[in-house]
């Protein structure tokens, strides 16, 4: 099936973005040949570390075959050589089989202890098994536990079969433990001699042992094979032949040149990373090696690494740092995700000033179509605290077409931009205003500290706070945690006009997921289940209970900015409430966007037409575009939402797209670029993202529309699992009934009139801020006030608030 996907990739052409949406055909010229800053001026190589090991078990037959399918032409397949007791070579990722095979379960009594490079190592080892035992009882397993085990079914891959299966591919044999195997009368040199009889053009042979490489020199003399000296992650480790630290040997590049064509080093040897996970200045290693005629390959690349904060969790930016930095380029990258490295090298390098393009399903032509919109989510919220001046400036700098403001109200009627009406997740309010914590059931199900209980001056006394759906090692840049300034709606609109941004999106809602839903989605996003969704109406509550007219405030601000009297700048009004959108129906230049917060899988024609009565576009959760397979983090089938929305002439904006790998289904290789490519390929008219730079970089890639270049894979839902698993296993899975989008999910009663709240009542202080109401927003009696917390309960509230804040760290905020 994936081979069919590849065929589809080869048949798909592109469109050059036409901002006016015109029709026509414009063939793209082939890309000019580029001179790189590698040693020989050639394009850097992509080396698949044990195959496509980011998705499939490392060194398995399926991992290698998928590398050929998904990687760019010339992708090199790297096999780590290990030996069985009867001298059969196998591709295995580690000397100790404990975490890479089922050896501990299949042979519980074969546990051994060996001295390896002077250190004691306990576990299961290939040299203690015959090849028949390995092929008969062992299976290769995914060694990184955060990755899927769905494809753990292949036997260890014999090296001779590996070469026979990949006769037309570039291959690399890494011989890591020659001295250890010699001590046990197993010769890696002799085995590689036999492998060279099967395939004389083995491209690379590497080892961290100088003695081994010197022994291989005469054997590969006259062949195209290059010998590569591999350095370990611990630069202070001792090389076994010379008993000299690798740190000392690294300074002797001219000596290395006498026995090796190049070096293979951890990427930190080139771009060091400090303990706080920020890049240090680059070393001179690549430049110095190239001066000596020594090639440099960097290893350790993976999309699911905890990347330095400099990259904003964008895996492609890390590759580009090594191959497109204007000073040097490594000669190759060794990666667990060859498709991502291929995209970086073939499509993104040198594309900064390229024109924007979008993929198209048309064959044999490039049909011009409307540009896929890049819509920010609270500005560049992945890089700065959301809805701050810095987040908006970054979004503009990063090429957003539409910048957004989620409108909140203060009690003195100032409309301003903030991701949440609850100040806890995105400001420092929980530090100094815990006494104002309240539970307002008409807004959210948990306690919060709400903007409508604060004056604008009190808001300004706070600091913004970086919000992330993920914590721990995936926390966002701590150096920017509390930077930036809050922005009023009026200032936001003036900023957009001054920066000539093509459009603005005004979000009039605050709709939260219940804590249960947070956990269901983000504690293990790749096992999303159908959890309850709690939807609360903010505009109605503010009107009826706080005397705040958020719709009126937005209308006035847009009018004062004269955006209601022009048609050149796009104005998008978004809400999950039809009653809010209907308030703007008399201004035809405004595009009304219905936010479908509920994750749904099916919509009827009738419901789609009902949406069209209220909205011109919908914002859909990206996971609503496809169903998933067994909660395993893989897609299964398309839903009908894009098709039905387009049928009803409703545009579709998909989001929220994040860079963090844990938010991306595994079909898309934990790569935001692959996800973005396929969302657009599926038909999304816009991408809503907290990282506009990533979407912008994708739209400028050099591969879309050039038939001679590498093709970013078009992955239809279900392609990955149906190509790898037994068809019966896939067919036997019966997904739950699809969740339907219904009119009751978005059609809301008319907004209530704005209540007349007297100034005396408005100034009663924090007592009124601790309102606990379950009354309907349209009910006429004022809600009953909850008692202010006593000193005896203050500590409890603080503990509860801390727990809430922690849970809110798992929420997706627009």
């Amino acid at each position: 099936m994936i081979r069919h996907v590849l065929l589809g990739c080869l048949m798909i052409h592109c469109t050059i973005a036409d901002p006016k949406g015109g029709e026509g055909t414009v063939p793209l010229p082939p890309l000019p040949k580029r001179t790189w800053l590698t040693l020989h001026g050639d394009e850097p190589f992509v080396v698949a570390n044990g195959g496509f090991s980011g998705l499939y078990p490392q060194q398995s037959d399926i991992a290698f075959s998928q590398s050929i399918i998904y990687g760019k032409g010339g992708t090199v397949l790297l096999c780590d050589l290990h030996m069985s007791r009867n001298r059969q070579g196998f591709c295995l990722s580690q000397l100790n089989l404990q975490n890479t095979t089922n050896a501990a379960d299949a042979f519980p009594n074969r546990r051994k202890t060996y001295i390896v490079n002077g250190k004691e190592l306990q576990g299961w080892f290939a040299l203690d098994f015959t090849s028949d035992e390995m092929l008969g009882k062992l299976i290769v397993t995914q060694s990184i536990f955060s990755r899927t085990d769905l494809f753990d079914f292949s036997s260890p891959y014999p090296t001779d079969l590996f070469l026979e299966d990949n006769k037309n591919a570039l291959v690399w044999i890494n011989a890591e433990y020659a001295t250890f195997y010699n001590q046990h009368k197993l010769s890696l040199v002799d085995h590689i001699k036999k492998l060279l009889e099967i395939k004389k053009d083995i491209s690379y042979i590497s080892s961290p042992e100088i003695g081994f490489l010197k022994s291989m020199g005469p054997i590969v003399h006259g062949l195209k094979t290059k010998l590569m000296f591999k350095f370990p992650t611990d630069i202070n480790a001792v090389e076994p032949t010379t008993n000299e630290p690798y740190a000392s040997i690294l300074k002797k590049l001219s000596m290395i040149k006498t026995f090796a064509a190049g070096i293979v080093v951890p990427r930190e040897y080139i771009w060091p990373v400090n303990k706080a996970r920020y890049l240090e200045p680059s070393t001179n290693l690549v430049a110095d090696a190239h001066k000596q005629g020594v090639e440099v390959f960097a290893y350790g690349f993976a999309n699911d690494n905890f990347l330095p904060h400099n990259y904003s969790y964008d895996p492609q930016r890390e590759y580009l740092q090594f191959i497109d930095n204007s000073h040097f380029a490594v000669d190759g990258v060794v990666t667990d995700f060859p498709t991502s490295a291929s995209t970086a090298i073939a499509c993104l390098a040198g594309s900064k000033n390229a024109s924007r393009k979008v993929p198209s399903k048309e064959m044999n032509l490039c049909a011009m179509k409307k540009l896929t919109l890049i819509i920010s989510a609270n500005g560049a919220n992945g890089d700065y605290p959301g809805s701050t001046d810095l987040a908006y400036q970054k979004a503009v700098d990063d090429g957003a077409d539409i910048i957004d403001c989620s409108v909140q109200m203060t009690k003195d009627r100032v409309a301003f931009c903030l991701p949440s009406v609850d100040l806890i997740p995105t400001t420092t309010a929980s530090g100094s205003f815990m006494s104002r914590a309240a539970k307002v059931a008409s807004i959210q199900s948990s306690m919060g500290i709400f903007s409508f209980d604060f004056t604008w001056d009190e808001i300004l006394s706070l600091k913004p706070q970086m919000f992330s759906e993920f914590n721990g090692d995936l926390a966002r840049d701590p150096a920017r945690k509390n930077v930036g300034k809050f922005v009023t709606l009026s200032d936001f609109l003036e900023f957009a006009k001054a920066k000539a941004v093509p459009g603005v999106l005004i979000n009039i809602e605050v709709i939260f997921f219940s804590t249960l839903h947070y956990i269901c989605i983000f504690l293990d996003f790749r096992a999303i289940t159908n959890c309850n969704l709690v939807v609360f109406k903010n505009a109605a509550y503010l009107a009826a209970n706080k005397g705040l007219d958020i719709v009126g405030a937005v209308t006035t601000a847009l009018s004062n900015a004269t955006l209601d009297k022009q048609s050149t700048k796009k104005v998008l009004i978004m809400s999950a409430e039809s009653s809010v959108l209907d308030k703007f129906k008399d201004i035809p230049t405004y595009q009304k966007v219905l936010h479908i917060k509920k994750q749904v899988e099916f919509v009827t024609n009738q419901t789609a037409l009902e949406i069209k009565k209220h909205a011109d576009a919908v914002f859909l959760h990206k996971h609503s575009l496809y169903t998933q397979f067994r909660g395993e983090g893989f897609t299964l089938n398309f839903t009908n939402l894009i098709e039905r929305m387009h049928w009803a002439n409703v545009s579709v904006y998909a989001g929220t797209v994040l860079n963090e790998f844990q938010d991306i289904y595994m079909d898309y290789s934990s790569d935001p670029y692959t996800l973005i490519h396929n969302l657009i390929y599926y038909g999304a008219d816009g991408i809503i993202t907290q990282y506009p730079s990533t979407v912008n970089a994708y739209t400028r890639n050099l591969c879309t529309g050039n038939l001679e270049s590498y093709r970013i894979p078009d992955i239809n839902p279900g392609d990955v699992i149906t190509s790898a698993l037994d068809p019966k296993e896939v067919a036997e899975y019966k997904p739950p009934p699809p969740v339907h989008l219904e009119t009751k999910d978005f059609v809301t009663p008319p907004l209530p009139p704005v209540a007349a709240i007297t100034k005396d009542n408005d100034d009663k202080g924090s007592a009124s801020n601790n309102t606990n109401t379950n009354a309907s927003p349209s009910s006429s009696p004022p809600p009953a006030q909850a008692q202010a917390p006593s000193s005896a309960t203050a500590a409890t509230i603080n503990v509860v608030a801390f727990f809430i804040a922690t849970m809110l760290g798992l929420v997706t905020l627009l």
Side-chain angles (χ1 to χ4, degrees):
M1 175 64 76
I2 292 183
R3 288 178 174 83
H4 295 167
V5 176
L6 181 64
L7 177 60
C9 293
L10 294 174
M11 297 169 68
I12 291 168
H13 300 234
C14 84
T15 66
I16 301 179
D18 174 19
K20 297 181 180 179
E23 298 294 330
T25 61
V26 179
L28 294 181
L31 293 175
K33 182 174 175 58
R34 174 178 177 175
T35 299
W36 294 78
L37 296 178
T38 54
L39 177 60
H40 301 295
D42 297 324
E43 186 175 85
F45 282 96
V46 173
V47 183
N49 181 36
F52 197 160
S53 52
L55 183 58
Y56 305 95
Q58 195 170 13
Q59 313 284 335
S60 62
D61 53 353
I62 189 173
F64 286 119
S65 66
Q66 299 309 301
S67 297
I68 297 297
I69 291 173
Y70 280 124
K72 73 181 186 70
T75 294
V76 184
L77 308 181
L78 188 150
C79 164
D80 287 298
L81 172 61
H82 291 280
M83 300 294 291
S84 70
R85 188 167 63 198
N86 58 330
R87 295 178 171 76
Q88 171 66 56
F90 286 89
C91 297
L92 295 164
S93 59
Q94 296 178 20
L95 180 66
N96 186 349
L97 305 181
Q98 183 170 353
N99 291 331
T100 59
T101 71
N102 66 330
D105 295 327
F107 298 96
N109 299 322
R110 297 282 189 92
R111 189 174 185 176
K112 294 286 186 70
T113 301
Y114 289 104
I115 303 298
V116 182
N117 293 336
K119 296 181 180 179
E120 188 176 279
L121 183 63
Q122 191 175 71
W124 284 258
F125 301 84
L127 57 80
D128 293 321
F129 300 95
T130 66
S131 56
D132 286 343
E133 288 176 320
M134 294 181 68
L135 293 170
K137 292 190 176 181
L138 294 189
I139 60 170
V140 181
T141 59
Q142 179 58 261
S143 60
I144 297 179
F145 299 136
S146 61
R147 297 174 180 174
T148 182
D149 61 358
L150 192 61
F151 308 119
D152 291 0
F153 48 68
S154 298
S155 299
Y157 205 8
T159 50
D160 53 355
L161 183 58
F162 164 71
L163 294 182
E164 290 172 359
D165 288 345
N166 296 287
K167 284 185 177 180
N168 296 322
L170 302 179
V171 297
W172 182 313
I173 301 295
N174 180 47
E176 196 89 357
Y177 297 97
T179 297
F180 170 76
Y181 281 111
N182 284 339
Q183 292 169 352
H184 297 278
K185 298 181 171 49
L186 295 169
S187 172
L188 298 189
V189 171
D190 289 345
H191 184 71
I192 291 178
K193 285 181 181 178
K194 295 179 180 178
L195 296 181
L196 287 168
E197 294 176 2
I198 300 173
K199 184 178 176 68
K200 289 187 178 295
D201 56 346
I202 292 176
S203 301
Y204 299 92
I205 297 174
S206 61
S207 177
E209 299 185 17
I210 293 176
F212 170 83
L213 292 173
K214 288 184 175 180
S215 297
M216 288 301 306
I219 296 172
V220 300
H221 181 71
L223 302 178
K224 294 181 180 179
T225 302
K226 293 181 179 180
L227 299 179
M228 308 292 290
F229 184 37
K230 183 178 181 181
F231 284 78
T233 54
D234 181 6
I235 197 172
N236 296 312
V238 175
E239 194 279 322
T241 305
T242 63
N243 290 321
E244 188 176 354
Y246 284 96
S248 299
I249 299 173
L250 190 62
K251 300 175 183 178
K252 303 175 181 179
L253 293 167
S254 59
M255 183 271 289
I256 293 173
K257 178 65 175 175
T258 63
F259 63 84
I263 57 176
V264 190
V265 299
R267 63 201 198 286
E268 292 82 5
Y269 280 31
I270 299 169
W271 283 100
V273 180
N274 63 27
K275 292 182 179 179
R277 279 180 42 208
Y278 294 99
L279 289 178
E280 301 281 353
S282 65
T283 66
N284 294 322
L285 177 58
V286 177
D288 291 345
H290 284 176
K291 288 178 183 177
Q292 297 293 332
V294 175
E295 295 182 14
V296 180
F297 282 64
Y299 71 87
F301 293 91
N303 296 354
D304 49 5
N305 282 334
F306 298 117
L307 299 175
H309 295 295
N310 309 68
Y311 300 135
S312 299
Y313 294 106
D314 180 345
Q316 310 291 1
R317 286 177 61 180
E318 182 176 36
Y319 292 114
L320 295 175
Q321 191 80 4
F322 285 79
I323 56 100
D324 193 35
N325 61 42
S326 78
H327 297 292
F328 63 82
V330 296
D331 300 282
V333 293
V334 184
T335 175
D336 292 1
F337 292 86
T339 181
S340 298
S342 298
T343 298
I345 293 171
C347 307
L348 298 176
S351 67
K352 185 176 182 180
N353 297 318
S355 61
R356 286 171 59 179
K357 300 174 289 293
V358 291
S360 172
K361 296 185 180 183
E362 287 83 357
M363 297 169 54
N364 301 321
L365 56 85
C366 283
M368 298 185 73
K369 59 186 281 190
K370 291 182 180 179
L371 184 68
T372 302
L373 292 175
I374 303 172
I375 305 172
S376 73
N378 305 309
N381 195 14
D383 293 299
Y384 289 98
S387 302
T388 59
D389 59 337
L390 296 178
Y392 289 130
Q393 183 61 59
K394 185 70 163 61
V396 172
D397 293 342
D398 289 345
D401 300 304
I402 308 291
I403 58 173
D404 69 303
C405 172
S406 291
V407 181
Q408 313 303 336
M409 296 291 292
T410 66
K411 71 178 182 179
D412 52 350
R413 294 171 175 77
V414 175
F416 70 106
C417 306
L418 198 70
S420 166
V421 68
D422 185 357
L423 302 177
I424 289 177
T426 56
T427 76
T428 55
S430 60
S432 53
F433 289 98
M434 277 313 306
S435 62
R436 300 209 190 172
K439 182 177 180 181
V440 182
S442 295
I443 296 296
Q444 65 183 43
S445 60
S446 57
M447 293 184 70
I449 303 174
F450 299 104
S451 67
F452 48 70
D453 288 331
F454 283 65
T455 65
W456 177 238
D457 285 342
E458 287 176 321
I459 295 292
L460 291 178
S461 72
L462 305 174
K463 290 183 179 181
Q465 184 165 281
M466 179 81 83
F467 173 82
S468 175
E469 288 76 5
F470 309 101
N471 296 307
D473 289 328
L474 278 178
R476 291 173 178 170
D477 190 348
R480 297 173 174 175
K481 181 178 180 180
N482 298 115
V483 300
K485 299 177 181 178
F486 298 112
V487 178
T488 66
L489 174 58
S490 296
D491 288 343
F492 166 81
L493 295 175
E494 290 304 317
F495 170 83
K497 290 175 65 177
K499 296 296 180 179
V501 180
V504 294
L505 182 149
I506 307 302
N507 181 29
I508 309 176
E509 61 178 349
V510 178
I511 299 180
F512 276 73
F513 294 102
S514 68
T515 299
L516 173 62
H517 199 70
Y518 305 158
I519 297 174
C520 288
I521 289 184
F522 292 112
L523 192 58
D524 185 1
F525 83 97
R526 285 165 174 169
I528 293 175
T529 56
N530 292 319
C531 303
N532 294 326
L533 183 66
V534 182
V535 178
F536 303 100
K537 308 299 187 288
N538 188 46
Y541 173 82
L542 292 179
N545 298 283
K546 293 294 179 178
L548 297 173
D549 184 4
I550 190 171
V551 172
V554 168
T555 302
T556 300
L558 288 170
S559 179
N560 290 342
T562 67
L563 291 176
D564 60 338
K565 303 175 181 68
Q566 56 82 52
S567 58
T568 56
K569 187 181 293 291
K570 291 180 179 291
V571 176
L572 282 63
I573 306 294
M574 185 168 78
S575 180
E577 307 170 41
S578 65
S579 55
V580 171
L581 297 180
D582 290 344
K583 288 287 186 178
F584 297 89
K585 64 183 178 181
D586 293 332
I587 305 179
T589 56
Y590 291 176
Q591 184 185 66
K592 299 178 291 297
V593 182
L594 180 66
H595 189 175
I596 307 296
K597 283 281 190 174
K598 181 179 179 180
Q599 187 175 327
V600 295
E601 297 166 337
F602 186 84
V603 61
T604 64
N605 292 350
Q606 182 179 358
T607 301
L609 291 173
E610 183 65 28
I611 289 173
K612 182 60 180 176
K613 294 178 183 178
H614 304 281
D616 308 294
V618 292
F619 168 26
L620 290 174
H621 193 292
K622 57 185 178 292
H623 296 324
S624 288
L625 305 184
Y626 35 74
T627 61
Q628 66 164 325
F629 176 70
R630 248 175 21 196
E632 298 277 1
F634 288 91
T635 61
L636 179 62
N637 288 308
F638 281 112
T639 64
N640 77 334
L641 274 85
I642 287 184
E643 177 191 2
R644 291 296 87 194
M645 293 301 173
H646 283 173
W647 172 83
N649 197 26
V650 175
S651 297
V652 175
Y653 303 142
T656 300
V657 172
L658 309 179
N659 284 354
E660 287 88 347
F661 69 87
Q662 285 191 343
D663 191 61
I664 303 170
Y665 271 18
M666 296 186 187
D667 308 63
Y668 309 113
S669 306
S670 302
D671 184 343
Y673 289 80
T674 306
L675 172 62
I676 292 163
H677 172 81
N678 283 283
L679 290 177
I680 297 174
Y681 176 64
Y682 298 160
D685 303 289
I687 301 295
I688 297 180
T689 177
Q690 294 180 6
Y691 294 95
S693 62
T694 302
V695 184
N696 186 35
Y698 164 77
T699 64
R700 298 182 189 277
N701 82 81
L702 301 177
C703 295
T704 299
N706 287 282
L707 303 183
E708 298 177 2
S709 69
Y710 169 72
R711 311 301 301 168
I712 300 176
D714 303 320
I715 302 173
N716 290 318
D719 277 335
V720 173
I721 58 167
T722 54
S723 68
L725 300 182
D726 185 335
K728 291 183 179 179
E729 182 179 357
V730 178
E732 287 173 357
Y733 171 66
K734 303 300 180 186
V739 178
H740 285 230
L741 177 61
E742 301 175 279
T743 55
K744 67 180 182 181
D745 296 321
F746 58 87
V747 173
T748 54
L751 294 176
V754 178
I757 306 295
T758 66
K759 190 174 189 305
D760 288 341
N761 288 336
D762 196 43
D763 290 339
K764 283 185 177 179
S766 297
S768 64
N769 297 330
N770 294 314
T771 301
N772 183 350
T773 176
N774 291 295
S776 167
S778 60
S779 60
S780 54
Q785 294 183 355
Q787 291 184 351
S790 67
S791 58
T793 61
T796 302
I797 289 179
N798 275 275
V799 171
V800 171
F802 176 78
F803 172 77
I804 295 167
T806 302
M807 287 297 97
L808 285 170
L810 300 171
V811 186
T812 295
L813 292 177
L814 177 59

